[in-house]
Amino acid sequence: MSFTIEKNKELKDITSFHISAKADYYATYSTAEELRKLSMTEEFLNNEILNLGEGCNVLFAGDFHGMILHSCIKGFKRYDKDEETVFAIAGAGEKWDDFVNWTIGEGLGGVENLAGIPGSVGAAPVQNIGAYGCEVGSVIHNVECFDVITRQTVTLKGDECGFGYRDSIFKKEGKGRYIVLRVSFRMKKSDKAANLTYGPLADLEKRIQHAPTIHEVADEIRKIRAAKLPDPDVIGNTGSFFKNPVVRIYFYKEVMSVLDPDIPYYETDTPPYVKIPAGWLIEHAGLKGYRIGGAEIYPGQCLVIANRGGATSEDVLKLSDFVVREVKRKFGVTLQPEVNIIDTKIKVTILGSGTSKGIPEVGCYCPVCTSDAKEDKRMRCSALVETGGMKILIDVSPDFRQQALNADISVLDAALITHNHYDHVGGFDDLRPFCALGKFPVYLRKDVNSDLHHRLDYCFKDHLYPGVPSFEMHEIENSPFLINGLKVIPVTVMHGKVPIVGYRIGDFAYLTDVKTIPEEEMEKLEGLDVLVLNALRYKDHFAHLTLDEALALIQEIKPKKTYLTHFCHEIGKHAELLKKLPDNVLPCYDGLTFITH
Ligand code: EPU
């Protein structure tokens, strides 16, 4: 046997949402060696790679322009360690519930509370699947993986997998790098169920009049699941569409319970954080059974979005956006998807396109500053990039609050910072609404980070004033890094004499405040679909490109399309500037959106 590669694969029947989408390539393999050989093919090397188990936790937002990998590594084995402990090893390509049944048949306890969960063994550690008081990470001994970078097999111990609530290293630093081959579970040689704390199981012993066996617990859980969750073979769905938000108790008491004192919460193992049942919030926002197109909030369990026939990914995403907005409006908390949204499109919104003083300039009455055209009102520079199910901000301008309101931003996953000039970082305090779920991730150069620690010292003290924003600062080098698996390439450019950063994501790049680009950085800009580039005015400036300099640079970089930004009023009116530019160069304006790959 060898690996297989299929082209133009329809995904409707191999994903549990049963929504149509195509993948450029679909590859299967049955051994680690086959995967190693596959990883050396042109198709593998030249494409974005995505692992797909049983397709039970993904939504394809459109066709997938890359290669999907599907493991067919099979087999269950047991190694008896001692009188009490057995290591149960399962191939990534086995169905999760087949594994649960096998362990029960072998008289091994540990995963019975996870009975009936759709999906594959390989996906279980990735998602750290959890239900009825058990998370799989707590019983994982180790995970054998193929490392795409070294092309070697590596074994990660359970405590190296970064397990958290529906989270693991495989969704973060390890995304796109580690492909799960086999998982080893630490099982108990016992027929007696050990974990009966979760609500609906608590009275099981009383009901059946003896200590429940693992078999009985699994049966009970299958019954509860069947009553609440739709069978994906009959009604397309991916289980919980949203995560239960984990918020600081301070936020719960000061914001949420003020909006509605009945909102329930549960303690977590990580105080001061508490967990809020998202299903309750969605139901009490009045959205039970709410439909957009073929997508529905499933009445039996509001955490689920169901495909009631003919749903498109747009229906599901529109419904999900609506739910997020309504829950935020009513209860003050932002829901985040639990399902993996696969989106190779990049949507960019220009939030601000003006230079440091903005347009109109305060106290200026020139024709540009007094123009009525909305395109001539320019806030300070910043952009929103939406891709891979994430919303990433580039720079936090002093106008950020207004920009967030204008663009209706209710969720943000991270911010990328180009440099520390006030017009690019002056709005940091207004990131507060995005810090409620924990520290907000910011990616920036080391020098910018130390400067922000001075400017925003109140955010980094040992004893914080309640409610101040909290940030997780990631210092970047001049080499690619990953945000939840999304590859971001920093491009060092010169702002006069100061080195600053631009960013490339896929075939889109955002470069602001450029005067020159070092020769060695130019190759990072090859083959761009869309470039956003600054062009201050006509007259020379020591630190910014003029319009002519920008046009000359565009001729060198050769992107398919360029949008110019960071204008001062001397650039003239938008409508007039538009007429002066070549066909593939357009001026930005605030609120402009475009989609690229
Ligand atoms: N609730 C409502 N309305 C609803 C749904 C729930 O008021 O429409 C209330 C329930 O009454 C209950 C609370 O919310 O008081 C929690 O509900 P439930 O016990 O059903 O669990 P859940 O929080 O909705 C989580 C997991 C499920 C898992 C169950 C059982 C997440 C995102 N979901 O759901 O996992 O099966 O607990 O442990 O953590 C999945 O991940 O796909 C999944 C189904």
Side-chain angles (χ1 to χ4, degrees):
M1 274 282 282
S2 172
F3 61 80
T4 63
I5 301 180
E6 246 180 281
K7 278 191 191 164
N8 223 9
K9 172 88 172 173
E10 172 58 67
L11 303 172
K12 188 173 176 176
D13 294 331
I14 53 171
T15 49
S16 66
F17 241 133
H18 302 305
I19 289 176
S20 180
K22 285 203 165 121
D24 289 356
Y25 300 97
Y26 180 80
T28 64
Y29 53 90
S30 308
T31 63
E33 181 52 19
E34 282 180 23
L35 176 56
R36 200 182 62 79
K37 287 192 181 137
L38 174 66
S39 75
M40 292 188 289
T41 59
E42 293 254 312
E43 292 91 332
F44 188 102
L45 293 169
N46 295 335
N47 276 289
E48 188 174 333
I49 299 295
L50 175 77
N51 261 304
L52 194 69
E54 296 294 305
C56 295
N57 208 38
V58 293
L59 172 67
F60 285 92
D63 290 343
F64 179 69
H65 300 295
M67 177 185 267
I68 288 183
L69 298 184
H70 177 72
S71 169
C72 297
I73 299 177
K74 300 282 184 190
F76 303 127
K77 265 189 206 151
R78 61 181 283 169
Y79 288 100
D80 290 46
K81 181 171 176 269
D82 51 40
E83 281 306 296
E84 283 166 17
T85 309
V86 172
F87 293 125
I89 299 169
E94 291 285 359
K95 286 198 170 125
W96 171 258
D97 206 33
D98 289 350
F99 172 64
V100 173
N101 281 331
W102 177 80
T103 60
I104 291 171
E106 295 280 310
L108 301 176
V111 292
E112 61 279 3
N113 290 34
L114 304 177
I117 296 181
S120 65
V121 166
V126 177
Q127 187 66 5
N128 188 16
I129 55 170
Y132 302 100
C134 175
E135 279 186 356
V136 79
S138 67
V139 290
I140 285 183
H141 173 55
N142 63 41
V143 182
E144 189 186 321
C145 307
F146 178 75
D147 181 339
V148 170
I149 294 177
T150 61
R151 294 213 189 99
Q152 306 277 331
T153 299
V154 288
T155 301
L156 301 184
K157 294 201 188 85
D159 59 8
E160 292 170 334
C161 294
F163 289 124
Y165 169 55
R166 296 292 191 276
D167 202 12
S168 73
I169 190 173
F170 309 105
K171 287 176 108 179
K172 293 183 166 159
E173 313 88 280
K175 189 166 167 183
R177 174 163 189 181
Y178 296 128
I179 298 170
V180 177
L181 299 169
R182 266 179 212 85
V183 186
S184 169
F185 301 85
R186 200 181 319 95
M187 308 292 293
K188 279 215 172 78
K189 220 186 263 184
S190 163
D191 206 30
K192 290 274 161 295
N195 185 351
L196 298 166
T197 47
Y198 192 86
L201 298 177
D203 66 346
L204 183 61
E205 178 159 0
K206 218 161 130 199
R207 277 189 279 133
I208 62 175
Q209 305 256 307
H210 62 259
T213 63
I214 49 179
H215 199 276
E216 285 161 340
V217 165
D219 277 354
E220 180 69 14
I221 282 171
R222 285 182 215 281
K223 268 190 231 146
I224 304 173
R225 291 187 72 94
K228 284 189 178 184
L229 299 167
D231 175 354
D233 288 339
V234 183
I235 298 173
N237 77 92
T238 54
S240 303
F241 191 91
F242 299 99
K243 287 192 219 174
N244 287 328
V246 177
V247 302
R248 284 186 271 184
I249 185 74
Y250 165 79
F251 180 77
Y252 173 82
K253 286 191 176 147
E254 300 291 316
V255 181
M256 298 187 69
S257 66
V258 174
L259 290 167
D260 186 331
D262 293 333
I263 300 175
Y265 75 87
Y266 305 108
E267 306 286 346
T268 67
D269 299 338
T270 49
Y273 290 95
V274 293
K275 204 183 260 185
I276 317 286
W280 189 98
L281 299 175
I282 298 169
E283 182 172 344
H284 289 81
L287 298 173
K288 192 174 183 159
Y290 191 86
R291 279 197 193 198
I292 292 185
E296 179 196 60
I297 297 299
Y298 189 66
Q301 162 58 288
C302 293
L303 259 191
V304 174
I305 293 186
N307 175 0
R308 297 313 300 234
T312 61
S313 56
E314 286 85 53
D315 294 342
V316 176
L317 291 170
K318 269 191 205 150
L319 180 57
S320 143
D321 275 356
F322 185 70
V323 169
V324 171
R325 196 159 312 155
E326 283 301 289
V327 168
K328 172 86 177 174
R329 198 170 61 80
K330 198 128 195 270
F331 303 115
V333 72
T334 304
L335 296 183
Q336 290 187 321
E338 194 261 356
V339 29
N340 300 313
I341 298 170
I342 310 297
D343 190 356
T344 44
K345 288 193 300 298
I346 301 174
K347 179 179 175 196
V348 179
T349 304
I350 299 298
L351 300 172
S353 59
T355 188
S356 56
K357 291 182 187 163
I359 301 177
E361 275 192 19
V362 173
C364 178
Y365 300 97
C366 78
V368 179
C369 288
T370 52
S371 161
D372 287 334
K374 75 172 179 19
E375 290 84 358
D376 289 324
K377 316 248 175 263
R378 301 185 187 275
M379 288 190 271
R380 270 68 66 90
C381 261
S382 122
L384 179 71
V385 179
E386 296 173 66
T387 188
M390 286 190 289
K391 295 186 192 236
I392 297 173
L393 183 68
I394 306 186
D395 285 339
V396 195
S397 99
D399 298 315
F400 173 68
R401 179 181 169 278
Q402 193 55 51
Q403 294 172 337
L405 291 170
N406 290 357
D408 197 10
I409 302 174
S410 57
V411 184
L412 266 185
D413 295 278
L416 301 171
I417 306 300
T418 61
H419 63 302
N420 64 346
H421 286 171
Y422 177 78
D423 51 331
H424 296 262
V425 294
F428 254 79
D429 196 80
D430 289 323
L431 286 171
R432 258 184 301 170
F434 307 102
C435 302
L437 296 179
K439 291 188 173 184
F440 182 78
V442 179
Y443 294 78
L444 68 191
R445 280 170 58 108
K446 191 178 169 58
D447 53 333
V448 179
N449 189 21
S450 56
D451 183 51
L452 286 180
H453 269 72
H454 286 298
R455 293 195 202 191
L456 304 165
D457 62 341
Y458 63 99
C459 301
F460 298 102
K461 286 189 169 151
D462 287 343
H463 300 289
L464 296 171
Y465 182 80
V468 299
S470 58
F471 303 112
E472 185 181 273
M473 302 304 230
H474 297 262
E475 289 186 354
I476 57 167
E477 308 283 341
N478 193 24
S479 52
F481 58 93
L482 295 175
I483 305 179
N484 292 336
L486 176 76
K487 186 172 169 189
V488 180
I489 304 174
V491 184
T492 298
V493 297
M494 297 305 293
H495 184 26
K497 292 192 173 145
V498 185
I500 65 166
V501 199
Y503 294 98
R504 177 175 184 154
I505 299 173
D507 289 336
F508 163 71
Y510 184 92
L511 308 178
T512 186
D513 292 53
V514 177
K515 181 67 181 178
T516 55
I517 302 182
E519 200 53 46
E520 64 277 14
E521 293 295 285
M522 286 294 273
E523 68 180 36
K524 292 183 182 171
L525 300 169
E526 280 169 16
L528 287 177
D529 271 344
V530 178
L531 169 67
V532 172
L533 182 67
N534 61 299
L536 184 73
R537 61 186 187 197
Y538 303 93
K539 216 169 72 195
D540 188 39
H541 187 281
F542 74 100
H544 286 274
L545 290 167
T546 62
L547 179 59
D548 282 346
E549 287 167 344
L551 293 175
L553 192 55
I554 291 165
Q555 291 222 327
E556 264 188 77
I557 298 174
K558 299 188 183 63
K560 288 196 187 123
K561 201 176 222 178
T562 304
Y563 291 96
L564 297 174
T565 192
H566 213 293
F567 297 124
C568 73
H569 60 173
E570 289 156 26
I571 201 72
K573 290 188 185 173
H574 179 89
E576 285 157 24
L577 176 61
L578 188 60
K579 289 185 214 150
K580 294 181 191 163
L581 297 175
D583 277 352
N584 60 346
V585 182
L586 294 160
C588 282
Y589 55 87
D590 294 13
L592 166 76
T593 62
F594 55 84
I595 290 178
T596 179
H597 286 286

